[in-house]
Amino acid sequence: MNDEAAKYLYDMSEGRADMKVLLGGKGANLAEMKRLGIPVPDGFTVSTVACVDTMEAHGRWPDGLWDDITAAVARLEERTGRTLGGEKPLLLSVRSGAVFSMPGMMDTILNLGIGDETVHALASEADNPRFAWDSYRRFLQMYGDVVEGVPPHVYEDELTSLKARRGVAQDTDLSTEDLQELVATFKDVSRRELGRDLPTDPLEQLRGAVDAVFRSWDTPRARVYRKANNIPDDLGTAVNVMQMVFGNRGDTSATGVCFTRNPSTGEHELYGEFLVNAQGEDVVSGIRTPRPLAEMEGVLPEAYAQLRQTMHDLEAHYKDMQDIEFTVEDGTLYLLQTRNGKRTAAAALRVARDMVQEGVLTREEALQRVEPSQLDQLLHPAIDPQHGRSPVTRGLPASPGAAVGELVFDADTAAERGGAGEPVVLVRYETTPDDIHGVIVAQGVLTAHGGMTSHAAVVARGMGKPCVAGASAIRIDTSEKTLTIGDAVYHEGDLLTLDGTTGDVYGEALELVPPQINEDFEAIVSWADDVRRLGVRANADTDEDAAKARELGAEGIGLCRTEHMFMAADRLPAVRRMILAETEDERAAALEQILPMQQEDFEGIFTAMKGLPVTVRLLDPPLHEFLPDLVEQSLLVQRLELTGGDAQELERARVLLGQVKRLHEQNPMLGTRGCRLAMLYPEIPDMQTRAIIRAALAVREREGETVGVEIMIPLVAYASEIKAQREIVERAVADELQAAGASLDVTIGTMIELPRAAIVADQIAEHADFFSFGTNDLTQTGIGISRDDAEGGFLTHYVTDEVIPSNPFESIDQDGVGGLVQIGVDRGRSARPGLKMGVCGEHGGDPESIQFFENAGLDYVSCSPFRVPIARFAAARAVLKGERRADG
Ligand code: PEP
Ligand code: MG
């Protein structure tokens, strides 16, 4: 290890904002603030390297770490003129600080260094015994919980029982004597729970605290959070050790949290909360409901003015919205943390757009401030504004969006039922980091307690989950599993609707409406259009979908599946006649009936897309899909036989059953489908081609323009298949054009959705004007997984157990299936340089896969209409990441 690059410990004055990997986000930003001359308590940071080395040695600290820490403490004592455990005591805070922020997931210990002697020294120095004893009881509680593993409720129960005995509601109502009693009780708790006292030597405490923070990297909740947020498990956390400043030193002290802009809406306005005479955890934990920041002006005017100026300076320095923690000790302001604030999707867009308008960011920079998943959130539903129902209660609008689900009262039940796909709403008195697994799968979260910066609010906003916090009128009984609002009692499983945008709660399921795409959204996505290289098309097979796709910015249709057109109730009889036909004439007659219906479908789609290209895929699924189910048809025949019903009906049912049996296949997805079917029944592609050409000409006649007609042959494995199919299609096109006396440009291409097709792409390219990678089938056949059987089965376990990083049907398996795509691209273009290529599997709308397709050198992606804006944006991000292969 290079000493220059990685030490185990850095004094705060040695750090900078760009040292996050070593110092964690908090440590790096504290150092940066110190550099900028912003008041920050002095201290040092134990680096992530020390944590990683400790984890690798199964918990054993690396040589030299402890010496580094004791030396740093000595330096800090020197600088502050105080000593740990001394007459003029130095008290420390010990906080975790990972590279990527994980709000509330890891541990903190405050007031370290306090003991039976120092408590008196602290009391007389501050001239405030109550404050000193309050700090002492907090230390015992936190150390016992975090370092020694005493269940936190044991302390909370003692605190609650003391308050009950004294007849007071707030912690701040307890007297010095009460707090002294509590300290004695907490010491008893340690003896009872651990069989010994907590360590009294401050250095020993510090060692225990640093070690506990290291360990907190690996708690189940931290792991769950990292998994949900794609944070690697091997980064480790830094540990920030700082001189304590006290927000609980009386009425001229306070602690608070603020954002430089509104993290829910993005509006440039004052946003924050504070509590007088409190320590940091009181604000974020939701134990006391804090006051709006604006009220601080009247209480602590000088510190308030300084805070406002600092907020402004920090935002200008970082060029991003900041999330700030501060403490005021006896009127003096200290910053304890600044970081880029987590925000809702709507706020992310608003802030990015405003900052471009304010001249702070370029458009490219702004695009990198928004995540594709945030656009996705904005495409989520809201409560139908016409609902006309009254809310049963109201809380704080902590994270916007609407959620409907069945009421559950604990995170485990939420995880179980939500994980099984049931919509649930998690209702808690307040959430803690241990609830994270329930929050992840819930539709939304409702809490009785806590403010806009409470744990539930911060976590829900980060995930784009609706959250109503601090709904103080609700009563929750977790043992009875009841929620009482006024006179109404709700039980587990009852339906609730939350509106995280307004804070309203409804005791019923309300209709949700599709989201509105606002100006911020449009602006950001249109900037993305100026940057992206990949084209973006949509998969659509109705005129409504086509119109929606066009409205959302699709540049054409990349996949128009034709099978749905055959399934419609008015089509099915003719389709079945075609399948059951005994002779070619019978089949031709049935197809003759289907043709005008197909033509009508195409006319609708072509009208919606006129001026743009449309890729129509010829019939793909196996024919049995248009026939009744084998078991059902057998039962029908049996029933008719047993009841001796109508002879004609029985005969018809038998004929159909015979046909169903004949068409039955063991593995239909690998059977007679795609072009294989068309090879057996060339009349089908012939009819479909004629319908396409007639539709295109009719639309041109009527509308003055038509679409770019692209006809696509599915499930090709052999060059000879596409060669034969191409001839059929070309003949039908020529026939139709000749009959109409018209001309029309038509291209004929193929799907590459079988491994063999990718491997012989050079041979196939000889007969194809374009390729479209069908990554759904390519994933099934490339990995050898049947999607319908695997999802909800072993594949779920594979993802949960991290056998594979993600579901390969959602995000492309880059090494395997992606490798096949790359082979297909390279070999196809080796035979036909510049061959147009796209992708129309579901991966075409997945941002990570889009990055891969950008690098692989495809020309366009095609995805479902609602994902078009995300794909446009993700395609720009892929360019900005600049990872495109030089030869791609
Ligand atoms: C594919 O296989 O990726 C594809 C788009 O076709 P389908 O999903 O219709 O099989
Ligand atoms: Mg397919």
Side-chain angles (χ1 to χ4, degrees), residues 561 617 620 673 714-715 751 753 774-778:
R561 294 179 169 102
R617 180 180 73 185
D620 182 30
R673 55 170 284 220
L715 214 79
M751 302 217 29
E753 52 186 338
T775 47
N776 300 336
D777 272 308
L778 197 57

Side-chain angles (χ1 to χ4, degrees), residues 136 168 554 797:
Y136 197 7
V168 299
H797 292 284

Side-chain angles (χ1 to χ4, degrees), residues 277-320:
N277 197 12
Q279 281 197 343
E281 79 270 16
D282 299 340
V283 180
V284 283
S285 70
I287 288 167
R288 278 165 63 192
T289 300
R291 299 164 66 179
L293 189 62
E295 290 178 17
M296 189 173 146
E297 187 166 22
V299 186
L300 294 160
E302 276 170 38
Y304 176 79
Q306 200 186 347
L307 176 65
R308 293 299 303 270
Q309 182 62 44
T310 309
M311 287 167 76
H312 176 268
D313 294 348
L314 282 174
E315 186 179 277
H317 180 70
Y318 284 100
K319 292 179 156 194
D320 201 352

Side-chain angles (χ1 to χ4, degrees), residues 637-659:
V637 169
Q638 268 181 23
R639 204 170 54 239
L640 290 171
E641 283 170 353
L642 288 173
T643 54
D646 181 337
Q648 265 191 340
E649 194 185 346
L650 176 60
E651 185 49 28
R652 269 202 307 275
R654 279 190 181 139
V655 170
L656 192 52
L657 176 62
Q659 197 62 299

